[in-house]
Structure formats: structure tokens, C-alpha cells
């Protein structure tokens, strides 16, 4: 039986064809890639990958573990946020993170203008937020309407109260990187804390 991996959330489906949509995150059929595993090679043989070209690359990418986040920024008194899976710590002293944002997104425009952003770390119970901030454009809807959030103390950008933690960041444009379709923002972390269950534990 074939296996298909959702490139948005990592859900694995077994069947002859991928599902019409991901039952976990709602991503469309096109977001699935077939997971193929090479036959084990003899110990004396060279290491064999999952395949060649896109045939092997896409399934391999689908197996990378990701966190899920909502990255938010502002333009004056306007706020926008988006679902993001590319957030990682770069250095510990000073504390810095890198965040990958698509240049076509409104959040990218706001970060470019303000140089500020917040990262809300989402937990297993945040699928509604993943869909809300991931499947619609802030150019069409106010994503923060009817969503419980607060503005962060240091940079004044939205934090979702239903997340499990948050970080406040000031972008360092001189070391951020243009990577084609996206900008990899490098930012100093200037604030943050746990949310919800973390603070109450």
C-alpha cells in the first residue's frame, strides 16, 4: 500500500492515492507527496537515498519534523499574522532566531516596514489557528478579528493567547537573507514567555 505525507503538517495517509484533503490540517490533495523507501543495501554498498531528483527529494522533505507557529507583525495600527513552520534558534548569546517568510505575504510587507515580529508557538490543540492564519490572506480579511490575542510588551505585535509560548523579536536587516521566494529574517529575541498550560504548570 502506498503512503502519502502531508507537506503542511506531516500527517501520513495510506492508500492508492492521496486523500482529497488532509484530515488533520485541511491541506488540499496537492500538498501530499508519496513516501518511498529504498530497499536496504548490503553493508558494503554505498548509502542509497530515497530516489533521484524530485522523486526522492519531495518525500524526504515531507519527513522533516517541523514546529507550527503564527508569526505576526504590524504596520502602524494594522496587524497581520500567518502560519509558519520555519522558525529556529540561531544563537544563544545573543539569543537570536531565524524566520522564513514568503515575500508575497502581507506579513512579509509588515515585517519589512516595522522590523518587528512576534512568534506564537502552537501546540497540538491549535489546529483551528493553523487553518485560520494559514489558508486566508490578510489582504482579504482581518485575521485578528474575533481571535483572542494581546499586544506584546516589547514590540507591540499580536500574541495568540491560545498558544503555548511566544517570542518578541527585532529584525536585524543587515544579516537577514534574501533566499529567492522568501526572506530568512534573523532577529534578536527581546522578550517572551510561556502561555496557557506552561505558565500554570
Amino acid at each position: 500500500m502506498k503512503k502519502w505525507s502531508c507537506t503542511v503538517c506531516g500527517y501520513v495517509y495510506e492508500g492508492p492515492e492521496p486523500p482529497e484533503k488532509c484530515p488533520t490540517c485541511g491541506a488540499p490533495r496537492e500538498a501530499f507527496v508519496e513516501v518511498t523507501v529504498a530497499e536496504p543495501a548490503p553493508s558494503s554498498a554505498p548509502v542509497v537515498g530515497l530516489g533521484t531528483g524530485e522523486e526522492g527529494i519531495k518525500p524526504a522533505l515531507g519527513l522533516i519534523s517541523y514546529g507550527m507557529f503564527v508569526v505576526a507583525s504590524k504596520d502602524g495600527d494594522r496587524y497581520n499574522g500567518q502560519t509558519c513552520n520555519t522558525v529556529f534558534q540561531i544563537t544563544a548569546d545573543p539569543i537570536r532566531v531565524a524566520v522564513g517568510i514568503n515575500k508575497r505575504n502581507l506579513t512579509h510587507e509588515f515585517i519589512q516596514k516595522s522590523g518587528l515580529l512576534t512568534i506564537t508557538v502552537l501546540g497540538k490543540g491549535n489546529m483551528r489557528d493553523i487553518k485560520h492564519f494559514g489558508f486566508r490572506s490578510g489582504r482579504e480579511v482581518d485575521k485578528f478579528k474575533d481571535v483572542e490575542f494581546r499586544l506584546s510588551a516589547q514590540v507591540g505585535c499580536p500574541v495568540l493567547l491560545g498558544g503555548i509560548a511566544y517570542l518578541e523579536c527585532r529584525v536585524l536587516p543587515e544579516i537577514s537573507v534574501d533566499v529567492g521566494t522568501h526572506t530568512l529574517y534573523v532577529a534578536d529575541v527581546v522578550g517572551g514567555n510561556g502561555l496557557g498550560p506552561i505558565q500554570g504548570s
Side-chain angles (χ1 to χ4, degrees):
M1 187 67 72
K2 292 183 178 180
K3 290 187 177 182
W4 307 86
S5 176
C6 175
T7 57
V8 175
C9 71
Y11 170 80
V12 176
Y13 174 82
E14 289 191 27
E17 299 290 334
E20 288 301 316
K21 67 177 183 177
C22 178
T24 301
C25 71
R29 178 189 194 105
E30 294 75 25
F32 280 82
V33 294
E34 186 177 358
V35 178
T36 57
V37 179
E39 291 295 320
S43 59
S44 60
V47 175
V48 177
L50 294 178
T52 58
E54 289 193 6
E55 177 185 334
I57 294 170
K58 286 185 177 179
L61 291 174
L63 295 174
I64 292 175
S65 297
Y66 291 101
M68 294 302 290
F69 313 89
V70 169
V71 175
S73 189
K74 65 180 179 179
D75 179 9
D77 59 357
R78 295 176 62 206
Y79 306 105
N80 194 61
Q82 66 168 76
T83 303
C84 178
N85 65 5
T86 310
V87 174
F88 52 97
Q89 184 176 352
I90 293 286
T91 61
D93 186 17
I95 303 173
R96 286 180 179 161
V97 295
V99 183
I101 302 292
N102 193 306
K103 293 177 183 176
R104 294 179 299 177
N105 292 358
L106 184 62
T107 304
H108 185 280
E109 181 181 315
F110 283 14
I111 294 172
Q112 284 289 100
K113 289 181 178 180
S114 69
L116 306 171
L117 62 91
T118 48
I119 301 163
T120 300
V121 182
L122 301 179
K124 293 182 179 179
N126 287 105
M127 188 52 62
R128 182 182 63 84
D129 293 323
I130 292 171
K131 293 178 180 179
H132 180 83
F133 286 92
F135 294 163
R136 299 186 297 174
S137 170
R139 301 182 198 282
E140 301 165 359
V141 297
D142 177 358
K143 293 188 183 182
F144 285 98
K145 183 180 180 181
D146 302 324
V147 172
E148 192 174 9
F149 74 96
R150 297 290 185 273
L151 297 181
S152 66
Q154 300 299 319
V155 301
C157 294
V159 172
L160 298 184
L161 298 186
I164 60 174
Y166 75 96
L167 299 171
E168 301 181 73
C169 304
R170 294 185 186 276
V171 171
L172 301 166
E174 66 277 10
I175 57 174
S176 294
V177 183
D178 183 329
V179 290
T181 59
H182 289 59
T183 298
L184 189 65
Y185 289 109
V186 178
D188 281 333
V189 178
V190 297
N193 208 331
L195 294 166
I198 291 180
Q199 287 185 330
S201 60

